[in-house]
Amino acid sequence: MPTERSALAIVLAAGEGTRMKSDRPKALHEVAGRSMLANVLSSALKAGVGRVAVIVGPERDDVGAEARRCIPDAQMFVQNERRGTAHAVLAARAAIAEGCDDLIVLFADTPLLTAPTIGAMRAAIAEGAAVAVLGFEAYNPFGYGRLLRDAAGRLVAIREEKDASEEERAVTLCNGGLMAIDGAHALRLIEKIDNKNAKGEFYLTDIVELARADGRDAKVVIADESEVLGVNDRIQLSQAEAVAQARLRRAAMAGGATMIAPETVFLSADTQIGRDVTIEPHVVIGPGVTIADGAVIHSFSHLEGASVGKGATIGPFARLRPGAALAEKAKVGNFVEIKNATVARGAKVNHLTYIGDADIGANANIGAGTITCNYDGFLKYRTTIGENAFIGSNSSLVAPVTIGQGAYVGSGSVITKDVAPNSLAVARGRQTEKAGWAASFRVAQAAKKAKR
């Protein structure tokens, strides 16, 4: 497809999602760690779409904010009445009137659409079609609009289920709802659509017959049925999630990662995984995670907003929260939580530890049970641990505090002041011992018990 062609995508996102049984609008429900709207917009951008208009419902600033988070210059248009898809598209009449080569109509609740499929629809327009409709062969066509073709295989009409004859209902080639329209004629054709049908709505699908009556051609672009899966309730949301996860797992493994039990690993749409990475069973990776070559993620770990360096080891049962940044060959072991902290090359945080708002130097060793006390109930403070420092088990580091390079902190210490490089800091009560105390205590307690 020529890259010089301009494209406008109109994304229909006004649905409230009543069947979702949710206070959130349907477009903001998530698939693979990001909103369905964000998934659709991402595919549009990857397909080379230069302008985006989003149709939202009244007082749906939250949907508009999500669209602009993804595409800052996206245009917003409000659909005040629900009178069909053509009526919704015309809410963006001003954007259409600005002109484009390819007008793409997308749905915010169809989150599995891929950029190559959008590209295929655009290519059909570039080759001379007035309309390119996305179709699929349905296992069960009930409820879908049917794509009707002539003997030569040309698309002649899209017939909605309620308006279809028995013969037309037997057709299994169905309408995916998405289409591309020649931008030079789009507005004129859409404005011709009427509502003379069983539901009294303005169907965008009628544009096919209008284009044919205008002497223009209409084409069908075939996609897999899973790609046009629409989400209207929580069950369909879970189905979309399953498809998205299967795609992400395949892509990761094709890129050189090993997943021992891929069906138990959950990724996000933006997860970046390098070569020779091993991910053990039951790992959840949220948004914003990068895993470099050769890293190992052991079972039952949860990562979000974190970067894992080359050859680093995580888990099992580890949690990396947003802002966690592990350098090459760093190690975070079992039952360790890292938040907004850097762990330098070769540093070890092996078990039962919380590291928050901290910087850990290269080759430092953090003993079991260590806590960086970073919050005083009002503000958060940072802990700095130098290279080759050794923090004994069960220590509490009360921020703001700096442990110098090569310093030792004795086990069980509560450190409230900076520790100089290569020093030993011990902050705990002095041990005392009373000989024979335990035997006397037991005798006294036995006597008390006998008197009861």
Side-chain angles (χ1 to χ4, degrees), residues 35 75 84 200 327 349 351 367 391 421 439:
S35 70
Q75 296 176 274
V349 189
H351 25 238
I391 310 300

Side-chain angles (χ1 to χ4, degrees), residues 244-257 259 267 269 271 273-274:
Q245 290 298 328
R247 287 180 183 176
L248 292 168
R249 293 165 189 150
R250 283 196 300 268
M253 291 185 287
M259 293 185 184
L267 308 172
T271 303
I273 301 176

Side-chain angles (χ1 to χ4, degrees), residues 149-344:
R149 295 184 289 185
D150 62 17
R154 293 170 299 193
L155 180 64
V156 296
I158 305 174
R159 195 78 72 232
E160 297 299 326
E161 172 89 19
K162 290 185 178 181
D163 300 307
S165 66
E166 286 300 316
E167 182 181 1
E168 290 169 340
R169 288 177 183 174
V171 173
T172 58
L173 182 62
C174 294
N175 177 30
L178 315 173
M179 67 174 65
I181 308 168
D182 182 350
H185 304 279
L187 189 56
R188 177 177 59 83
L189 290 172
I190 297 170
E191 287 178 334
K192 284 185 176 182
I193 295 172
D194 61 37
N195 63 344
K196 296 176 182 178
N197 51 64
K199 293 183 70 175
E201 293 186 351
F202 295 87
Y203 292 144
L204 185 62
T205 50
D206 289 348
I207 198 171
V208 171
E209 292 179 87
L210 291 172
R212 295 276 297 177
D214 211 29
R216 302 293 304 281
D217 196 14
K219 292 185 177 180
V220 178
V221 174
I222 304 294
D224 186 82
E225 185 171 359
S226 65
E227 194 167 344
V228 296
L229 174 65
V231 174
N232 294 299
D233 57 32
R234 306 278 184 160
I235 296 169
Q236 291 174 332
L237 185 68
S238 71
Q239 293 169 344
E241 184 71 37
V243 174
Q245 290 298 328
R247 287 180 183 176
L248 292 168
R249 293 165 189 150
R250 283 196 300 268
M253 291 185 287
T258 294
M259 293 185 184
I260 297 170
E263 69 279 5
T264 70
V265 175
F266 291 85
L267 308 172
S268 291
D270 63 352
T271 303
Q272 299 180 43
I273 301 176
R275 297 176 61 179
D276 296 316
V277 169
T278 298
I279 302 179
E280 291 183 350
H282 304 292
V283 169
V284 176
I285 299 177
V289 173
T290 300
I291 304 173
D293 296 351
V296 177
I297 314 298
H298 290 294
S299 293
F300 297 102
S301 293
H302 188 286
L303 291 70
E304 181 179 358
S307 62
V308 179
K310 186 175 182 180
T313 303
I314 308 299
F317 294 98
R319 184 183 182 196
L320 300 187
R321 291 170 60 192
L326 277 61
E328 184 176 356
K329 296 189 181 301
K331 183 175 182 181
V332 170
N334 49 290
F335 302 103
V336 171
E337 180 177 346
I338 308 286
K339 188 270 298 185
N340 191 28
T342 61
V343 181

Side-chain angles (χ1 to χ4, degrees), residues 54-77:
V54 180
I55 311 302
V56 302
E59 300 181 358
R60 286 271 55 132
D61 293 341
D62 47 0
V63 177
E66 172 69 353
R68 289 200 171 100
R69 185 189 66 80
C70 300
I71 304 177
D73 61 352
Q75 296 176 274
M76 299 298 133
F77 297 92

Side-chain angles (χ1 to χ4, degrees), residues 99-116:
C100 63
D101 293 316
D102 309 327
L103 176 67
I104 318 295
V105 179
L106 306 175
F107 296 162
D109 61 0
T110 309
L112 300 174
L113 182 69
T114 65

